[in-house]
Amino acid sequence: MPLTPNWAAQRRDWACVLEADGEPWRRLRGLFEETQAGQRAVQEGCGTVSGCLFGNLTLELSNQTEAVRRRLQEIFDAQVDMVETVVEEARERGDVTVVDTREAARAVVAQLEGQVMVAKMYNSTERLTPLWNNCLALLGARRPSGTRKP
């Protein structure tokens, strides 16, 4: 299925962060920081946290139309693919203890989507701040050297 303009833009943004040079931790943390910054920019412009278009559609439409559900699954799976690449690299470096990098990446993306939903519900981008520490816990990681607490 062809990329929708919204998914093409988000995919490009995620790729810019997750496929950049540097340690896997910096790239993964960058995804969370970019997400929070994007939500903050929208909030400053219109007064509310908008959440994720694809998460919003999933909540509202995925049980009504099979074609919509399939397309949202494709987008979610592509997000997981991108995160899994970073998690695999972190595992190869000995930075995480997860065995199943696919499931770990799925948990990271689900956590990101869930926190964005909570930020929308509270209209507070500060609800995204715990993402990094939660991610480290999900992956069974120690705090990487050279990273700061949020």
Side-chain angles (χ1 to χ4, degrees), residues 43-145:
Q43 184 184 35
E44 289 169 358
C46 70
T48 60
V49 174
S50 64
C52 172
L53 172 66
F54 307 111
N56 294 340
L57 287 171
T58 297
L59 290 171
E60 294 299 325
L61 298 176
S62 65
N63 63 349
Q64 295 179 23
T65 307
E66 186 59 31
V68 171
R69 180 189 352 261
R70 277 194 310 273
R71 183 62 182 131
L72 291 167
Q73 287 171 350
E74 290 171 5
I75 291 168
F76 181 77
D77 287 342
Q79 292 172 329
V80 171
D81 291 342
M82 296 173 84
V83 170
E84 183 180 19
T85 300
V86 179
V87 173
E88 285 175 348
E89 186 179 336
R91 186 182 70 183
E92 288 169 9
R93 294 167 47 106
D95 294 336
V96 299
T97 59
V98 295
V99 174
D100 188 336
T101 58
R102 183 71 180 174
E103 287 305 316
R106 187 171 288 132
V108 169
V109 173
Q111 177 205 197
L112 175 61
E113 288 293 336
Q115 287 292 123
V116 168
M117 182 191 67
V118 169
K120 178 179 179 177
M121 180 176 60
Y122 283 94
N123 197 34
S124 171
T125 59
E126 291 307 309
R127 297 292 176 146
L128 298 172
T129 301
L131 281 168
W132 177 237
N133 287 329
N134 292 346
C135 177
L136 292 176
L138 276 172
L139 298 177
R142 58 177 167 63
R143 179 170 303 284
S145 62

